[in-house]
């Protein structure tokens, strides 16, 4: 081995030990810490969900002026008075959806597109509805730049779901509803799961898990308190 190639091998080994070259990206280290400290250390343990949270560059989904805080343990403003959820909440809601690779997902509230991106790594297709055209457009651009081909975004009132694309294996509502939206229950497949924050606007809501059994019975569980921006109506 020449001195040059020996030096090369040492550099390569060092890079692998540190998790390969992308580790040079300081945000990747922050993202790894986010997954370890904010998510896995709490109670999200599913390997696929943790991998998805590790794979999606959250900094790309927040406005430039908030990029420095992209890996903070908190929600952040994304414009139009809306917020991207705290990373842990995204991970927890995703875990509750128990997504399988063939699943078709509906999301009410595209916002930045971050939750859609995480779900898109775990399911076959995500249909996401956003009431603010500017947010829908921004999310489309971000997801296209990251080459997420399995997220489709539409501008509209997601309270009524997206009947032509349903029924869905999983539904994630990322804004607070005053009741479980009946149209979304109707568009949930037998055997499907929906997570939805239910409660008053601008107060604490409860995260609800709604499951439809294989024979179409509904079971609803109230899980824990959350704070989401309200579902707006057209
Ligand atoms: N899931 C988003 C965060 C959503 S914040 C993310 O990962 O970034 C809630 C979003 O729901 C906001 O963007 C808001 O504009 C949108 N929203 C509120 N009411 C809605 C409705 N009726 N239909 C569709 N989107 C709605």
């Amino acid at each position: 081995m020449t001195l040059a190639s020996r030096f090369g091998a040492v550099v390569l080994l060092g890079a692998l030990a540190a998790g390969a070259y992308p580790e040079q990206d300081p945000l990747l280290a922050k993202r790894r810490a986010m997954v370890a400290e904010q998510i896995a250390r709490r109670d999200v343990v599913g390997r696929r969900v943790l991998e998805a949270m590790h794979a999606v560059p959250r900094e790309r989904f927040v406005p430039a002026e908030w990029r420095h805080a992209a890996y903070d343990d908190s929600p952040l403003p994304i414009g139009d008075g809306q917020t991207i959820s705290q990373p842990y909440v995204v991970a927890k809601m995703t875990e509750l959806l128990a997504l399988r690779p063939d699943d078709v997902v509906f999301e009410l509230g595209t916002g930045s597109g971050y939750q859609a991106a995480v779900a898109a790594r775990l399911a076959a297709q995500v249909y996401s509805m956003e009431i603010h055209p500017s947010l829908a457009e921004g999310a489309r651009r971000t997801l296209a730049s990251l080459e997420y081909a399995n997220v489709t975004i539409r501008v509209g009132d997601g309270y009524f779901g997206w009947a032509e694309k349903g029924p869905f294996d999983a539904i994630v509502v990322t804004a607070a509803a005053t009741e479980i939206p009946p149209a979304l229950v109707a568009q949930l497949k037998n055997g499907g799961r929906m997570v939805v924050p239910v409660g008053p606007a601008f107060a604490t809501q409860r995260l609800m898990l709604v499951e439809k059994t294989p024979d179409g019975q509904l079971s609803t569980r109230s899980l824990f308190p959350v704070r989401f921006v309200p579902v707006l109506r057209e």
Side-chain angles (χ1 to χ4, degrees):
M1 206 186 242
T2 65
L3 190 60
S5 67
R6 185 173 302 160
F7 179 70
V10 169
V11 169
L12 178 64
L13 280 177
L16 285 175
Y21 292 129
E23 192 67 71
Q24 289 163 357
D25 173 1
L27 290 175
L28 187 67
K30 283 198 178 183
R31 193 146 77 239
R32 181 168 297 166
M34 171 192 86
V35 172
E37 288 156 25
Q38 300 173 29
I39 297 172
R41 190 170 292 170
R42 289 196 175 114
D43 59 354
V44 176
V45 294
R47 183 182 54 82
R48 293 179 72 234
V49 174
L50 295 178
E51 276 172 9
M53 294 300 294
H54 187 253
V56 181
R58 193 166 188 266
E59 74 277 6
R60 299 281 290 273
F61 294 84
V62 305
E65 66 268 32
W66 286 103
R67 210 146 282 168
H68 65 278
Y71 293 98
D72 286 5
D73 193 10
S74 65
L76 292 171
I78 55 171
D80 284 318
Q82 305 304 318
T83 53
I84 180 175
S85 302
Q86 178 191 11
Y88 167 72
V89 170
V90 174
K92 186 70 190 173
M93 287 173 80
T94 305
E95 182 162 79
L96 289 165
L97 293 175
L99 296 175
R100 290 164 301 213
D102 291 339
D103 280 357
V104 178
V105 181
F106 175 72
E107 178 185 34
L108 186 163
T110 316
S112 68
Y114 179 70
Q115 169 75 75
V118 172
R121 300 192 70 87
L122 301 168
Q125 180 69 42
V126 178
Y127 293 100
S128 185
M129 192 96 85
E130 171 55 54
I131 206 162
H132 284 107
S134 55
L135 288 174
E137 193 40 47
R140 266 189 204 121
R141 248 185 284 119
T142 306
L143 290 165
S145 72
L146 292 169
E147 297 180 359
Y148 281 92
N150 59 338
V151 179
T152 309
I153 295 170
R154 183 164 131 184
V155 176
D157 185 348
Y159 187 80
F160 301 105
W162 194 334
E164 313 87 85
K165 303 296 185 187
F168 302 101
D169 300 284
I171 297 179
V172 57
V173 179
T174 63
T178 48
E179 75 285 279
I180 297 170
L184 300 191
V185 174
Q187 289 170 35
L188 192 61
K189 266 190 204 165
N190 287 358
R193 299 151 310 282
M194 164 159 62
V195 284
V196 49
V198 177
F202 306 112
T204 300
Q205 304 100 23
R206 299 285 301 179
L207 190 69
M208 310 290 285
L209 175 64
V210 180
E211 291 179 276
K212 231 183 225 185
T213 61
D215 60 353
Q217 304 291 314
L218 273 192
S219 94
T220 303
R221 273 194 288 154
S222 170
L223 299 177
F224 52 85
V226 285
R227 244 174 189 268
F228 276 82
V229 292
V231 170
L232 305 169
R233 305 305 311 280
E234 260 172 351

